Amino acid sequence: MRTPTATELRRSLDATAGPALPAPSMLCLSDVSLHVPPLYGLTLRLCRGAREAIICSTDVSAAIVGILQGSVPHVGAVTVAGVTLTGRTRRAAPLALVRREPATVAAGTVAGAVTAWSPLTPGGRDGHEATTRILAACGLRDHATHSVNSLTVGSRRLLDLAIAWTQHPAAIVIDDPAASMTSSEVQHLTYALTQLPQDTAVLSLAPAVADIAAIATHVRAVNDGRPQKPIAVADLPVGTDDPAVLSLTGRGRR
């Protein structure tokens, strides 16, 4: 009997495997709304490795961050890696937030702040190597021995991303990625997001398309509190004066 070739075996497996299973959802918002403006019916699903963005006002981004951290009452469900966020599950949920204002970190060195949050043994070789790698990816290697208090606001936000990274989150939400950052710090952020584990989903909340063009593949706008359909960033016209871009950001004729 002739031995099937690899191609024939693969075709046979494909024919009997049935339909492909949907990709797991890392972050899912199902018809999320506030009891009052500025958000109505936000639904999105980020799968593993997704890089998406929402173009919105600061009021909307603050509302979304508040919903995710549990400080803003809302209707609709939020799930992270299949777990619905509630008062009991939120603390353990694999979700990280990089806020517009840097989080309060205990005084100490930059490297110490990262290792303090790492699940690896801080003094062990693995913990040291992981800290060094993450700090380098976030543009903070040269600041490793510096005091956290000596960092600029933008570098503090990069430190927040580094700390979030150590927790191996299923999803990271970044509020206004370019806020309080210099051009070089924005470049560090952009590079760091390319170095995250491939499974990590990233959602950016930003006031302008230019702020997310290099870090997101798809973008949607929230105009008058109502989410619009997502658009591939690659399909957006070049130039912020284009009517399509102005419409996306809510500053042009709809």
Side-chain angles (χ1 to χ4, degrees):
M1 180 181 293
R2 184 177 66 86
T3 302
T5 66
T7 300
E8 290 171 337
L9 286 171
R10 187 162 55 250
R11 287 174 178 172
S12 176
L13 288 172
D14 289 343
T16 58
L21 295 174
S25 174
M26 297 292 99
L27 175 63
C28 184
L29 284 76
S30 302
D31 199 22
V32 171
S33 302
L34 300 183
H35 298 290
V36 295
L39 188 63
Y40 308 93
L42 175 59
T43 295
L44 64 83
R45 179 174 179 268
L46 268 63
C47 297
R48 286 179 175 173
R51 297 291 187 272
E52 296 196 14
I54 297 176
I55 303 302
C56 57
S57 66
T58 55
D59 288 346
V60 172
S61 62
I64 293 173
V65 170
I67 288 168
L68 295 175
Q69 66 184 10
S71 61
V72 174
H74 67 281
V75 296
V78 179
T79 60
V80 179
V83 177
T84 300
L85 293 189
T86 66
R88 292 184 177 182
T89 64
R90 195 177 307 276
R91 182 177 295 275
L95 173 67
L97 301 175
V98 178
R99 300 173 179 82
R100 183 189 305 265
E101 298 295 332
T104 301
V105 179
T109 66
V110 171
V114 174
T115 55
W117 286 89
S118 175
L120 298 173
T121 304
R125 179 178 178 181
D126 290 344
H128 176 73
E129 290 180 351
T131 296
T132 301
R133 183 177 68 253
I134 292 172
L135 287 176
C138 293
L140 297 172
R141 180 171 53 189
D142 292 342
H143 300 283
T145 59
H146 295 177
S147 167
V148 170
N149 294 331
S150 70
L151 297 179
T152 65
V153 175
S155 291
R156 284 282 300 274
R157 298 192 71 204
L158 289 170
L159 176 58
D160 286 351
L161 175 62
I163 291 173
W165 190 336
T166 68
Q167 305 303 298
H168 306 293
I172 296 177
V173 177
I174 305 177
D175 185 13
D176 201 346
S180 303
M181 284 194 171
T182 64
S183 58
S184 62
E185 289 167 346
V186 170
Q187 290 176 358
H188 289 317
L189 173 67
T190 301
Y191 177 74
L193 294 181
T194 68
Q195 301 303 301
L196 288 171
Q198 293 184 350
D199 284 354
T200 307
V202 178
L203 175 65
S204 300
L205 311 173
V209 173
D211 294 336
I212 54 81
I215 61 175
T217 60
H218 290 78
V219 60
R220 72 186 72 204
V222 174
N223 291 339
D224 298 329
R226 301 188 182 281
Q228 310 300 309
K229 293 181 179 180
I231 301 172
V233 172
D235 293 338
L236 290 175
V238 177
T240 55
D241 291 335
D242 188 284
V245 177
L246 293 175
S247 176
L248 179 66
T249 57
R251 295 196 296 269
R253 182 182 300 173
R254 283 177 263 149

